[in-house]
Amino acid sequence: MLLHKLKKRKKALQERMRHPSSSVAEEASSQQPINLDFSRILNGDKRKNPFSKNNSEQNKKVKLQSAPVDESNDHTLFALLKLPAKTEKPPQDVDTEKLSTFSNLLQKFTAEHTVVTKVKENKYKHLTIDWALKTKLRLMSTKPFPWTSKLKASEEASGITGFVRCLDTTSSSLDTSPRARFHQTCLYWQHPHLPWVSLYPRSSGRVAATSFMATNEEVKRGLMTEWTESFRSLFQLVRALHCPYFYVLSNTFSVLFIASGVCGAAEPRALVAPTTRGLRHALRQEDVEFTMPLRPENKKKLNTSDEERGKNSSFDSCYDTMDDGRTNDQNCSGDEDDPDEFLSQMGLETAELRKINNAQARVSHTAESSVDRSAESLVVVSGADAQALFNFLLNCKSLVAGSGPLAGVPPTLLAPTAFHGGTLQALKVKENIINSENNRYYSIELRGPILPTTVHTLFNVLKNSTTSQFSATFAHLQPTLAFTWAASKLAEESSKDNEQNQFTKAFNKENLSDCGISDEMLQLFCSSDPGSIKSVDSVKYNSEDDTYTW
């Protein structure tokens, strides 16, 4: 308002400056004549007090009579909208919902212009497969769960025996109580196991209590020897189809080994994420062929160095396309002239040529490193190259950190089945009761390396032991999220194979019958349907129609 008044005065001043004669005439005409009659003062009449009570009451009456708009909400609204006012009804006949008050009009306007978006929930009969490792799982239900963290001796023994021997407790003589079955789902195999160091996730080692390992060569050599034997045992179990999968977690990257037949694959596979340009270069030097299914389309045509392309023109260098193979063959055969020789003939010196080559190498290295340490840098190794990757990891010196809290500690091995040197571990269970909005919820929290088969087994136990609805939320290990995305893409490619591979898939699926998981779960894990592999953050079970929503 102050700015408005200031602008108004400024405009008036400008008008006076433009038309001085007219402004003086207007001021003269606007001035009223002064009353010079002093007879009232000479006669002794008293001046009226403007602050007296009678005058203030009279002024109020005059103002009320001259007020053009009533102060009520309805009349004010009609006056502002310049509408004729309605006749007032008796109080008992007034319907406040039909009055044209400001609140009613606002509600009517918002009701007419509000867009109601209905989110359609897709229901599924089977739980999806998520190959990403979880660090925490929380179960929520309105009714208490049929188990507690305190177990009897028979329940703990039955759970351990059923897990180690891969037995179905429903068809055996073991304890079939919900507590025993729940304890069986919370077990897993791990190597190495150092009680004073947290090896999952690998980045959580905050206590520098392993400094003596970095300086003691005998301890480092002993840990590495035992780890090599455990790693070899797990890889042989996967090749023999007695273990469906296992994880290798190092400080810089993670590896998922999958047996043939799982996800519809006709041969064993290994997924490595995240990777760097240096790691991919080391794999090429060891003749480990790989693909990058998650790489962006706009980076497929980027070329690598001439040295790498000259090794094998048919080799997928992860940034060359099939169309570039013809160019690579020409370069390898030497039919075309050497560009350096051509430029030297044009008069360029050797120093200038070296600068040009260094600039080109720098550009190619930068382009290849643009996906480093991201989900797009995931590499997939299939078939016989999985054996080459196994040999590469055994001899990889950077697999073990040389400094830091995990110095000298080999990578963590996680598997759902027993292997040489594996330590039987259990997830940490915590129970809580949460009160929210006058409602009581029962919660169970699981912490630790939660494997994909653990989630499915846990939900099967919940379905058979409770009749109420429940939900689960997950906390993922971030680097392993790319495993699910790549597995879904690989399953989509595998489903497009010809009928010749169908016999191989069925044969591998039949051989996986002794891998330690149930037949129903095996049917799901061996499916090549890409829709059955998804990354989920939360899952809800509907007990009424026995379906899942995520």
Side-chain angles (χ1 to χ4, degrees):
M1 293 301 295
L2 291 175
L3 292 174
H4 179 69
K5 292 180 179 179
L6 184 60
K7 290 181 180 180
K8 193 173 181 180
R9 292 177 183 176
K10 186 177 180 180
K11 290 180 180 180
L13 182 59
Q14 292 176 356
E15 290 294 331
R16 292 178 183 176
M17 296 293 292
R18 292 175 184 174
H19 309 286
S21 59
S22 60
S23 60
V24 172
E26 290 178 359
E27 290 180 0
S29 61
S30 62
Q31 291 179 357
Q32 297 179 357
I34 302 174
N35 187 8
L36 299 177
D37 186 9
F38 296 99
S39 59
R40 180 179 57 83
I41 300 175
L42 296 174
N43 295 333
D45 296 338
K46 292 183 178 180
R47 181 178 61 87
K48 293 182 180 181
N49 186 4
F51 300 101
S52 63
K53 187 176 181 181
N54 296 331
N55 291 339
S56 61
E57 291 179 356
Q58 291 178 1
N59 294 336
K60 286 182 180 180
K61 290 180 180 180
V62 173
K63 287 182 180 180
L64 290 175
Q65 292 176 1
S66 62
V69 180
D70 191 80
E71 294 182 357
S72 62
N73 291 335
D74 295 340
H75 291 281
T76 303
L77 183 61
F78 286 127
L80 292 174
L81 298 178
K82 298 181 180 180
L83 297 175
K86 295 183 179 180
T87 57
E88 296 183 357
K89 295 183 180 180
Q92 61 272 15
D93 297 336
V94 174
D95 189 2
T96 57
E97 297 181 358
K98 296 182 179 180
L99 286 177
S100 297
T101 59
F102 182 77
S103 59
N104 290 345
L105 289 176
L106 182 61
Q107 291 177 2
K108 183 179 180 181
F109 177 80
T110 54
E112 291 178 355
H113 293 78
T114 301
V115 179
V116 179
T117 57
K118 295 183 179 179
V119 180
K120 183 179 179 182
E121 293 184 352
N122 297 326
K123 296 184 178 181
Y124 306 91
K125 286 294 183 182
H126 299 284
L127 187 62
T128 182
I129 302 175
D130 190 358
W131 288 106
L133 285 171
K134 284 81 175 172
T135 57
K136 184 171 64 174
L137 186 152
R138 174 172 292 178
L139 299 169
M140 298 283 291
S141 177
T142 56
K143 296 182 180 180
F145 293 97
W147 57 71
T148 57
S149 57
K150 297 180 180 179
L151 301 173
K152 298 180 181 178
S154 60
E155 294 170 347
E156 183 177 0
S158 297
I160 294 175
T161 303
F163 179 76
V164 172
R165 299 181 182 178
C166 301
L167 300 176
D168 186 5
T169 55
T170 58
S171 59
S172 62
S173 59
L174 298 176
D175 192 349
T176 58
S177 62
R179 294 181 180 180
R181 298 181 62 192
F182 174 72
H183 182 62
Q184 181 177 349
T185 61
C186 297
L187 300 176
Y188 62 95
W189 296 94
Q190 175 183 333
H191 180 86
H193 172 62
L194 304 176
W196 63 93
V197 180
S198 176
L199 298 180
Y200 180 84
R202 297 284 296 192
S203 59
S204 65
R206 301 184 183 92
V207 182
T210 60
S211 58
F212 71 95
M213 295 184 184
T215 57
N216 195 327
E217 293 295 332
E218 294 183 1
V219 174
K220 292 170 60 177
R221 193 181 304 109
L223 284 175
M224 200 62 195
T225 302
E226 288 295 325
W227 182 86
T228 302
E229 188 64 24
S230 298
F231 186 32
R232 184 199 60 80
S233 173
L234 265 178
F235 185 74
Q236 297 297 339
L237 287 172
V238 168
R239 290 185 58 188
L241 302 180
H242 287 178
C243 178
Y245 63 90
F246 71 92
Y247 291 85
V248 181
L249 307 180
S250 68
N251 295 341
T252 56
F253 61 89
S254 304
V255 186
L256 169 62
F257 285 88
I258 301 177
S260 59
V262 179
C263 296
E267 52 189 2
R269 286 174 176 170
L271 287 74
V272 186
T275 62
T276 58
R277 186 182 64 86
L279 178 60
R280 294 191 294 271
H281 180 68
L283 290 176
R284 296 189 193 103
Q285 287 184 336
E286 296 294 331
D287 294 333
V288 180
E289 297 187 9
F290 57 86
T291 58
M292 301 178 68
L294 299 181
R295 61 183 174 182
E297 294 293 333
N298 58 353
K299 295 180 181 178
K300 286 185 177 180
K301 296 184 179 181
L302 297 177
N303 295 327
T304 55
S305 61
D306 295 336
E307 180 183 355
E308 295 171 354
R309 288 183 295 169
K311 288 182 179 180
N312 189 1
S313 60
S314 62
F315 171 59
D316 183 11
S317 63
C318 301
Y319 284 93
D320 295 335
T321 58
M322 297 300 294
D323 298 335
D324 297 332
R326 178 175 51 192
T327 306
N328 294 339
D329 292 336
Q330 294 176 356
N331 292 336
C332 294
S333 60
D335 294 339
E336 294 185 355
D337 296 335
D338 188 6
D340 293 345
E341 183 179 356
F342 175 75
L343 292 176
S344 62
Q345 292 176 358
M346 295 295 293
L348 291 178
E349 298 180 358
T350 306
E352 296 294 334
L353 292 176
R354 190 179 296 109
K355 289 181 180 180
I356 294 175
N357 293 334
N358 292 339
Q360 291 179 348
R362 193 180 303 110
V363 170
S364 62
H365 291 170
T366 304
E368 189 178 355
S369 303
S370 60
V371 296
D372 287 357
R373 298 182 180 88
S374 64
E376 300 167 352
S377 65
L378 177 138
V379 301
V380 178
V381 181
S382 303
D385 293 295
Q387 178 70 44
L389 177 64
F390 168 75
N391 296 331
F392 170 78
L393 294 177
L394 284 179
N395 302 320
C396 183
K397 296 182 179 180
S398 62
L399 206 62
V400 181
S403 60
L406 297 179
V409 181
T412 306
L413 303 177
L414 299 173
T417 57
F419 60 94
H420 179 82
T423 306
L424 184 64
Q425 297 294 320
L427 300 174
K428 297 180 180 180
V429 183
K430 183 180 179 180
E431 298 176 339
N432 282 323
I433 298 178
I434 302 174
N435 296 318
S436 176
E437 297 180 358
N438 298 328
N439 294 326
R440 172 173 289 188
Y441 297 96
Y442 296 89
S443 170
I444 291 183
E445 186 177 288
L446 304 178
R447 288 182 176 270
I450 302 174
L451 304 177
T453 51
T454 302
V455 178
H456 286 257
T457 308
L458 179 61
F459 271 71
N460 290 334
V461 174
L462 281 169
K463 285 169 53 179
N464 299 329
S465 59
T466 182
T467 58
S468 62
Q469 297 182 355
F470 59 88
S471 62
T473 55
F474 309 103
H476 299 278
L477 186 63
Q478 197 67 24
T480 60
L481 285 173
F483 292 156
T484 304
W485 304 333
S488 178
K489 202 164 186 178
L490 293 175
E492 184 177 357
E493 297 175 357
S494 179
S495 61
K496 298 179 182 179
D497 292 345
N498 53 18
E499 297 180 356
Q500 184 178 359
N501 293 332
Q502 297 298 328
F503 178 77
T504 305
K505 295 177 183 179
F507 184 74
N508 291 335
K509 176 183 174 183
E510 185 66 25
N511 289 340
L512 282 170
S513 57
D514 296 330
C515 67
I517 57 180
S518 62
D519 296 337
E520 182 181 0
M521 195 184 306
L522 184 63
Q523 182 76 18
L524 182 62
F525 272 75
C526 292
S527 174
S528 59
D529 182 16
S532 62
I533 304 175
K534 290 184 179 179
S535 179
V536 294
D537 295 328
S538 60
V539 179
K540 181 181 178 182
Y541 173 72
N542 306 310
S543 58
E544 298 178 356
D545 50 359
D546 191 19
T547 57
Y548 296 95
T549 304
W550 54 77

